Amino acid sequence: MVRHRVRIMDGFSIILLTCLLIYYCFEYEVFEAFSRDDARGKSIDLNEMLLISSFVLGCMVIFTIRRLREQKKETRRRVAAEQEVRALAYHDALTGLPNRRSFDDALLAAVNSPPRAGGSHAVLLLDLNGFKRVNDVFGHAVGDEVLIRVAGYLNACLREDDLVARLGGDEFAILSKHLSGPEAATSIALRVIECLASPVTTGDARHLIGVGIGIALAPQDGTTPAEVLRKADIALYRAKSRGYSDLCFFEEDMDVHVRERHRVEQELLAALDEGRLQAFYQPLVELKSRQIRGFEALARWNHPFLEDLSPDRFIPIAEESGLIGRLTDQLLEQACTDVAGWPGDVVLAFNVSPTLLHDSEFPTRVLAILARSGLPSWRLELEITESAMVKDLKAAQECLGLLRAAGVKIALDDFGTGYSSLYHLRNFKVDRLKIDRSFIESMSTDKDSAAIVRALVGLGAGLGLEVTAEGVETGEQARLLEEQGCAQVQGFLFSEAVSSREASQLVFSRWAKEGEGDALASAP
């Protein structure tokens, strides 16, 4: 009713005016007609009927013209609305760049139009480095401004025929058609890196924004949009792992690696469901007396088909896939339960993944595991790498500070490699420093490494912290560490990581045999 109100009003107006005209013609002689009967009654003659008909016809013509004009206006409004909807559907609202849908359509058209012989279409996937820090520190409004500036830089440094789109977040994509080969794609990627090399200025702040670029070529790397994008994404993952700003072309071995990684991830999930991961234990030995003071728990996975997978291989996959929380909880509970049955002064050292520092529930879960296992909190020592502490000191303080307040000890692992300072050691309370094995391996042949070890041992002593040297494999290394005052060591010289049963034999014998790397020889 509301939509057609103008038409209804026009119709009522025509009907009303027609009725008034008929009444007027009925009451008065509009056209004088001479008749022999001057006293004829009131009536409407033919001329008046023609007048009324002409009036009605004229009104209908006007009504029709008005309707046509309204229809044209409505058509123009609909066309404009459709164009606006299409623009919104195919363009990013923030940057004005084409969006993912627009890029997918353009890529489909490019794949269906193969380049000339020897040529290729290039897809470049871009991911900004350092953008999350901008959002965290300055807020999303400044982050949006940075994205707008980056979009402008990308448009300025590309060819006229190149398409640059924002796929979402801080991800962008470039489609360059009919390139002569990989060299041309490399030139485009280098121009992008150069454009983003200078800080992005917003207000009074300057933001360093790097970019990782993954490149895939069509038809060499794929003949469908999905395949080309998948391989460009694989190349992007490799590029981001290399450094702050870098580019990487897709290679077939990357695809093999990704598929193998996916298989390991699925197998790891099944292993966690079935409880097939085990905690093994490497002794922490008092260097002077050769007595075992504790054990470091290490993850071991005896896979039936992939043979024994080292932690260096499956732990990063667990971190990236979000399984590290489950893995840590399972192994920590197993280790706490084992160690709780050993003599009361044996300490359990356990590595904490940096990703867990941002898990607000992690301290609660650790304390719950201690309560269930019956292991006193002071017998648990959680290890965090020095690089993780330096990267996010606040998160480490908030997460591990709660555990330290509950009595859990904290050790700084790989000490000497994370560019920490006395400021970090003062503000992040720890109980132990673990000297990285890289210094221990070379200390007998490299004077600088020996001096660094001596300085680190002295630093720990000066701060009132216990010091442990990792990776001790020779008697010479043990002798030098003892001379420099290092109280505790671990390494293959005394024992490799062993099962719970073998560790139990060791702890009750309380003796680590130095020599052949087999402490089990002295066990009963």
Side-chain angles (χ1 to χ4, degrees), residues 381 386 389 410-416 420 425 428 430-436 455-470 486 488:
E381 185 173 274
E386 184 184 16
M389 180 198 71
I410 306 298
L412 202 56
D413 200 8
D414 300 336
F415 189 70
S420 66
L425 291 177
F428 183 74
V430 298
D431 301 283
R432 181 183 301 276
L433 302 179
K434 298 191 73 173
I435 303 174
D436 186 68
L456 295 178
V457 171
L459 177 62
L463 294 173
L465 305 176
E466 298 182 38
V467 178
T468 299
E470 298 181 294
C486 183
Q488 192 177 95

Side-chain angles (χ1 to χ4, degrees), residues 97-99 103 126 151 154-155 158 162-166 172-175:
L97 294 177
N99 60 10
F103 184 83
L126 286 63
L154 293 178
N155 265 327
L158 296 178
D162 293 338
L163 172 68
V164 56
R166 182 188 177 208
F172 295 83
I174 298 171
L175 174 62

Side-chain angles (χ1 to χ4, degrees), residues 300-341:
R300 291 294 183 266
W301 181 12
N302 186 9
H303 194 282
F305 305 113
L306 299 177
E307 298 181 350
D308 289 346
L309 293 174
S310 69
D312 291 340
R313 186 175 174 188
F314 66 81
I315 292 296
I317 294 176
E319 292 175 336
E320 294 169 9
S321 61
L323 296 175
I324 190 63
R326 285 187 60 191
L327 188 152
T328 299
D329 291 352
Q330 281 192 17
L331 291 178
L332 180 59
E333 181 134 21
Q334 180 187 142
C336 288
T337 302
D338 289 341
V339 176

Side-chain angles (χ1 to χ4, degrees), residues 160-178:
E160 185 177 350
D161 295 335
D162 293 338
L163 172 68
V164 56
R166 182 188 177 208
L167 303 186
D170 60 346
E171 287 188 75
F172 295 83
I174 298 171
L175 174 62
S176 295
K177 297 185 288 186
H178 302 289

Side-chain angles (χ1 to χ4, degrees), residues 473-487:
E473 299 182 356
T474 67
E476 177 67 11
Q477 293 171 349
R479 184 185 63 79
L480 291 174
L481 287 169
E482 189 172 1
E483 289 178 355
Q484 294 173 4
C486 183

